[in-house]
Amino acid sequence: MSLADFRGEVQAWLRERLDGKFAAVVGTGGPGREHEHVEERKAWEQELARGGWVGLGWPRDAGGRGASIEEQVVFYEEYARAGGPGRINHLGEQLAGPTIAAFGTQEQKDRFLPGILQGTDIWCQGYSEPGAGSDLAAVRTTAVMREDGWHIDGQKVWTSLTQYADWCFVLARSDAGSERHRGLSYLLVPMRQPGVEVRPIVQLTGTSEFNEVFFDDAVTAADNVVGEPGAGWRVAMGTLAFERGVSTLGQQVGFAHDLDQVIAAAISSGAVEHDAVKDQIVEAWAGLQTLRHSALRTLNNDASSSTGVEANVSKLLWANWHQRLGELAMSVQGAAATVVDGDGFSPLQTMFLASRAGTIYGGSNEVQRNIIAERFWGLPKDRA
Amino acid sequence: MSLADFRGEVQAWLRERLDGKFAAVVGTGGPGREHEHVEERKAWEQELARGGWVGLGWPRDAGGRGASIEEQVVFYEEYARAGGPGRINHLGEQLAGPTIAAFGTQEQKDRFLPGILQGTDIWCQGYSEPGAGSDLAAVRTTAVMREDGWHIDGQKVWTSLTQYADWCFVLARSDAGSERHRGLSYLLVPMRQPGVEVRPIVQLTGTSEFNEVFFDDAVTAADNVVGEPGAGWRVAMGTLAFERGVSTLGQQVGFAHDLDQVIAAAISSGAVEHDAVKDQIVEAWAGLQTLRHSALRTLNNDASSSTGVEANVSKLLWANWHQRLGELAMSVQGAAATVVDGDGFSPLQTMFLASRAGTIYGGSNEVQRNIIAERFWGLPKDRA
Amino acid sequence: MTDSADTAELRSTLRGFFEQHAPTRSQLADDPGQWKRLTTELGLTGLAVPEEQGGSGASYVELAVVLEEAGRSLLRAPLLSTAVAAVVLADSDAGDLLPPLLDGSMSAAFVVGDVTVDGDRLTGSVAQVVDAAAAGLLLVTVGDALYAVDAAAATIRSLEALDPTRPLAAVELDGASGRRVGDAAHALDLLHVALAAESVGAARAVLEMTVAYLTVREQFGRPLGSFQALRHRVADLTVELEAATSTVWYAARAAAERAPDLPVVAPLAKATATDAFTHIAGDAIQLHGGIGFTWEHDAHLYFKRAWTTALLHDDARTLRRTAFDRGTRG
Amino acid sequence: MTDSADTAELRSTLRGFFEQHAPTRSQLADDPGQWKRLTTELGLTGLAVPEEQGGSGASYVELAVVLEEAGRSLLRAPLLSTAVAAVVLADSDAGDLLPPLLDGSMSAAFVVGDVTVDGDRLTGSVAQVVDAAAAGLLLVTVGDALYAVDAAAATIRSLEALDPTRPLAAVELDGASGRRVGDAAHALDLLHVALAAESVGAARAVLEMTVAYLTVREQFGRPLGSFQALRHRVADLTVELEAATSTVWYAARAAAERAPDLPVVAPLAKATATDAFTHIAGDAIQLHGGIGFTWEHDAHLYFKRAWTTALLHDDARTLRRTAFDRGTRG
């Protein structure tokens, strides 16, 4: 199929559903808005699966469609353009699935991949712990093997979409007395059990994208460990490397929508008449073009010429760009931005507030800078 | 005398000379231009001394005039406004003199202060060493006491006005085998002797404000040590504290002159028609007002409420402000700024280039930030 | 702000009061008891009103110190609006309007927007007015003039504000009777200085909170404050705060002395102070990491106050332009 | 820029050449021998000219790689002007002007300014023209059109340049005979992409030089590169450089393919690249400390090249506006 035909197929499929049965989910979800239309978005996940769009870029032998990078780009662009909702299982599709496909046993693949590909099993991530911030190796959650499987005790934090999840991939310390990166195991833990409690964290947006998860003698089967017990760090790092940049192109279509809203607000308030405000809008627009060029360049990389820090560069670029856009959104509205009209924060207010979290979650700006300095330039690490 | 009368006296005295015999020195000297009219500026220093303007703020018992802060402010403002040249002995008046007055013996005061107050002895500073950068305690220059006095060997760098100086205050290691801040002595060393060689450092401006100084068995009398031998660090730190902010008000009048030139260039190129350029000019102007308010607030400080880092805050503020102004100077000229017309760089080009040094010399921005974090907030030092 | 001995004592008294009675989280709802203490007990609304008019006879410098301290705890009560209104009225021939402001029985609000006057009848609607919902007295700018209007003669609608510690309302005037009480420009200058003082106080509080966090919080086995990149960020924010504090310091003195350059430095003070406040409050969230963007932590309250103050009563760019035009004219 | 296998080989060849024959300090004066090697030996002026017209038949992508490498050593020779001119002429019906450019017997310069045409006579004076002093052929923009003019028909006066590695001249045309060879806009797009490629190459070189310095230089008893504030500065500069490199990468491909969005991304590429270059070169001086602002050290040469490139052929603000207007039209 030509790329243009493929694009046409994507457009038609999305239009039929998003103009029709799933019209309610258009534009819902995403940063600061994960609480919107949860049940409909779960159904949407299964609808996507029936259309064959889940696991689009997964290899065929893992049950995916093995689509080319170009096709994936087209899908993400059209998905965002059509106002497709925030994907409620993106952690399952983007992280859990590929990790199990790469590091799991055949039994694990058979057991877990179909649920992801059918959109029936929602996943969340259990990495960060309270008090550890960006220090991923400071894991204190324990996992002890007993006759009925792994028993997990501890607390994870900053987990997104947890309250809707069926499964969680958890990094836990399985070797008592081990330190830092050693002695950790990568466990797949069912969320629907008495030993698991989820407490939403209310953010400055007033909504709860993130949660605390308490494991109090939670249990999972003995063979729900990915990779060797005690060798979970390598698996967890592998998970982080699966972000290949394709989905960032979809994210950018959302950014373009944000920018359009800012421009509309600047026109409506008259702020755009100021040359200086126009300059800021032009800079935001130019920054977005560069985000796109960066994603395309990354996708074109052959292994030999990649910098190894594309994901870190990309994270800093988009998080800072989006935060500046959030500030611009306020400036162009002027005093009107200080008022909450109607039911809760406006989309631009939510964007402004949520953009403060983008530079912190998923590896803070500071951690990204450390990695770039150390991995790309070989500059010394911070002394521990 | 009222402050207004005092201002009148300063204006009249300066006008008579700068419109007359010393017209040639008007506007000369300063960053990137210390090579201009050196002999006339030496004569000017003595003329100032005859007028009683050298040591204006020194205490009377040190031979100064004991002028109030307000009077000093008036003098520096009027001096700069009249186009008074860069002071060729400001290190003598601002640092060496006050240090000797505070830490020296009566004999040292009698010996050295008159030459400074009369403008006949020009001083330079020997602190920084090659390879040590901002690490002032990394002194390797040695001083050994023999029968005929101290023998000094080593190398200093980034010393300004050295080629015109008669004396140098030198921080040297007098206790062999000592380390860091211990075992240093604060020595007064005559520059006109065979053991001292000065090599100008050509800067990116093409001129030589700074120099290297080589001490090769240079000698100074046994009693030309300020404070106890081996206790020079305390004296050197005392020297750095004498910058009380008064002279920064004079510096700011020079900055205002720079800003006026930038505005004139923006008008002449038409760049000022761009609202965004106008904004940048307005920001530069506003920043200059804040520099002035900061200096005035510092001068009004009573000891109980001072932050202890005023000088560091002030250094960061003005150095960054001036560097941004230098960039603005280029932007407003556009392509014309890329050409050197006539005899050497234009004043705005020189300002642009010299402003890159302001964030490095006299304690780099990085060192100032360290000090603010450590001294003001008590945050941990870098581990050595 | 740098204090003389007198203002240092005032500051210390106020800080004690606010730490005891007005911690940040208590500012999320009105507290009539607190307002009573601020007015009758401490006499703060009349602080810069001459004694012969029933005030404390202190100057705008002392009022600025009080507002800095109020800013630290993001005070919700209408102290700023009412105290500035009292200074304006004390300087007018409408001193008879003062007593209820001084004894706390009435608060005031400044209504700045498109209002026109016909005879003594004011008409217009202003979309965002700080402290208007609780106000008994409105001071309304009409072109160059300032009018006093009984709040009962206006239609006032409470609004939900982005900053939950700063009450906003929409004010509608439909031929309300107004009394000319002075010039708008001078009142706005005083208001700008007051907002600037409040902003540097709040900015200093959130920066102190951030440094305290960096000092105790460990990551990678050492305190966050030992990471140089974070320490340098704190240093840069300190420089910006100290610079803004200097301009506010200067402007408060200019207000106290009615110095000729007050019209220049007043807008400059608000611009400089709110720039520093928005930067510091934004970085405070970043430096706190995850906890900094939770609803429970105070950082977002400072952040919302910073942006709200920056956007109300003209933004920094506009104010700097105004200052420049005034300062370089002639 | 990210390379395919082919461009990686080209890059490696060129880097070897420039490291051997064109170290930075040698760029302070003309070097005819070097020019001869660049043209006759390496055939670089005809790199992106089709083989049937005497060139090497590579694309604008390869030319961009060459110019990145030339930028690394701040090449003084008129390679950029001449190679871009060759691409423009190869695409016109003035292919007969190509041979002297390809064999190195003549170099070219782009004259962009206020020039008018009357019949085929060009008149005007342009104040700053890169590479004009040595040029045999001038490509002159007149409104939307591009004309070829024999340099002998113009009055060309060498200028002293702020950047000693980039020769500038003033060009005076007084009824000089011109030959219409194409459109100005497309030629300027190609020129912008070329300058952008050169700039990211130079920026990367001075950033690498800076990191190397931080790695070896010790202060306070440890390498400068172990100070987190400096490492984070390097990281931020890296992000800016990688972003700019991406836009240049995209623009070079758009130029090679004559993609419809070339007019959008070409000005954007120059703006993004020179912003990154000025920031990196400025911080390079700072990060080198005292040695960085001496005449002897190369940092100031990169700094002067960065600012010169940013100011010539429209500044970043103007170029971004152009890109925006083109990119959002319709």
Side-chain angles (χ1 to χ4, degrees), chain B residues 130-136 158 180 201-206 210 274 276 323 327 330-331 334-342 344-345 349 352-353 356-357 359-361 364-367 369 382-384, chain D residues 127-128 157 159-163 168 217-222 227-230 233 278-279 281-283 285-296 300 303-304 307-309 311-313 315 317-318:
Chain B
S134 296
D135 183 2
L136 214 53
W158 310 121
R180 308 286 307 156
I201 299 169
V202 184
Q203 295 156 229
L204 75 174
T205 49
F210 298 104
H274 292 292
Q323 198 161 87
E327 298 186 346
M330 297 294 279
S331 303
T338 65
V339 173
V340 182
D341 262 335
F345 294 131
Q349 285 171 329
F352 165 65
L353 293 170
R356 307 314 296 197
T359 53
I360 298 172
Y361 68 66
S364 69
N365 281 7
E366 289 74 22
V367 166
R369 293 189 187 106
D382 280 304
R383 289 130 193 242
Chain D
Q128 304 90 17
R157 184 172 53 89
L159 300 169
E160 191 186 340
L162 178 74
D163 171 9
L168 293 177
R217 181 80 154 81
E218 299 214 346
Q219 214 169 91
F220 301 103
R222 50 191 260 217
F227 288 92
Q228 194 191 35
L230 306 189
R233 188 102 57 98
T278 53
H279 297 160
D283 273 2
I285 292 178
Q286 182 72 24
L287 290 167
H288 274 86
I291 193 78
F293 63 87
T294 63
W295 191 268
E296 276 165 74
H300 77 102
F303 182 67
K304 289 167 180 171
W307 276 88
T308 297
T309 310
L311 293 171
L312 292 168
H313 297 295
D315 64 16
R317 182 180 164 276
T318 307

Side-chain angles (χ1 to χ4, degrees), chain B residues 71-332:
Chain B
E71 287 170 335
Q72 294 176 60
V73 169
V74 163
F75 176 76
Y76 279 103
E77 286 185 347
E78 293 303 326
Y79 184 88
R81 212 162 269 148
R87 291 286 297 277
I88 206 158
N89 199 26
H90 79 88
L91 291 169
E93 189 197 23
Q94 301 291 328
L95 297 181
T99 302
I100 293 167
F103 297 100
T105 62
Q106 190 57 47
E107 290 68 27
Q108 287 170 338
K109 294 178 196 174
D110 294 343
R111 165 72 187 84
F112 291 107
L113 299 186
I116 294 172
L117 288 166
Q118 290 158 22
T120 50
D121 286 354
I122 312 291
W123 284 76
C124 68
Q125 166 175 311
Y127 279 7
S128 293
E129 300 204 356
S134 296
D135 183 2
L136 214 53
V139 171
R140 289 182 299 176
T141 294
T142 59
V144 178
M145 174 67 106
R146 304 233 176 93
E147 56 277 15
D148 60 342
W150 296 96
H151 285 242
I152 298 135
D153 285 276
Q155 187 181 348
K156 297 287 182 179
V157 74
W158 310 121
T159 62
S160 58
L161 299 157
T162 323
Q163 59 273 63
Y164 318 123
D166 304 292
W167 287 87
C168 188
F169 47 97
V170 174
L171 203 56
R173 193 164 297 285
S174 54
D175 295 2
S178 66
E179 283 191 353
R180 308 286 307 156
H181 313 84
R182 284 170 291 275
L184 304 175
S185 290
Y186 190 100
L187 298 170
L188 310 177
V189 181
M191 292 291 283
R192 317 277 185 206
Q193 60 168 311
V196 175
E197 188 192 345
V198 177
R199 289 189 207 152
I201 299 169
V202 184
Q203 295 156 229
L204 75 174
T205 49
T207 58
S208 298
E209 189 182 1
F210 298 104
N211 304 273
E212 292 180 291
V213 185
F214 296 84
F215 297 100
D216 180 9
D217 197 32
V219 183
T220 195
D223 44 8
N224 282 348
V225 56
V226 183
E228 293 299 310
W233 180 256
R234 198 176 63 89
V235 181
M237 290 300 101
T239 301
L240 290 177
F242 286 123
E243 172 52 73
R244 288 285 301 146
V246 180
S247 65
T248 65
L249 283 163
Q251 182 193 39
Q252 287 168 25
V253 182
F255 287 172
H257 179 69
D258 290 343
L259 176 60
D260 286 344
Q261 284 194 297
V262 171
I263 294 174
I267 292 169
S268 135
S269 74
V272 77
E273 303 300 325
H274 292 292
D275 214 38
V277 173
K278 174 94 187 280
D279 270 343
Q280 290 179 289
I281 289 172
V282 168
E283 278 166 32
W285 173 86
L288 186 57
Q289 309 311 306
T290 291
L291 287 180
R292 179 157 171 270
H293 302 149
S294 298
L296 292 173
R297 175 169 160 241
T298 297
L299 292 172
N300 258 275
N301 263 356
D302 54 8
S304 68
S305 62
S306 76
T307 61
V309 292
E310 300 92 333
N312 313 92
V313 167
S314 162
K315 173 78 204 306
L316 278 163
L317 272 179
W318 75 249
N320 287 332
W321 179 85
H322 203 226
Q323 198 161 87
R324 280 195 302 275
L325 186 70
E327 298 186 346
L328 184 58
M330 297 294 279
S331 303
V332 301

Side-chain angles (χ1 to χ4, degrees), chain A residues 146-196:
Chain A
R146 304 231 177 97
E147 57 277 18
D148 61 340
W150 295 96
H151 285 243
I152 298 139
D153 284 276
Q155 188 180 348
K156 297 287 180 178
V157 73
W158 310 123
T159 60
S160 57
L161 298 158
T162 324
Q163 59 272 64
Y164 318 123
D166 304 292
W167 287 87
C168 188
F169 46 97
V170 174
L171 203 55
R173 194 162 295 287
S174 54
D175 294 2
S178 65
E179 284 192 352
R180 309 284 309 155
H181 314 83
R182 283 172 291 275
L184 303 175
S185 290
Y186 190 101
L187 298 170
L188 310 178
V189 181
M191 292 292 283
R192 317 273 184 212
Q193 60 168 310
V196 175

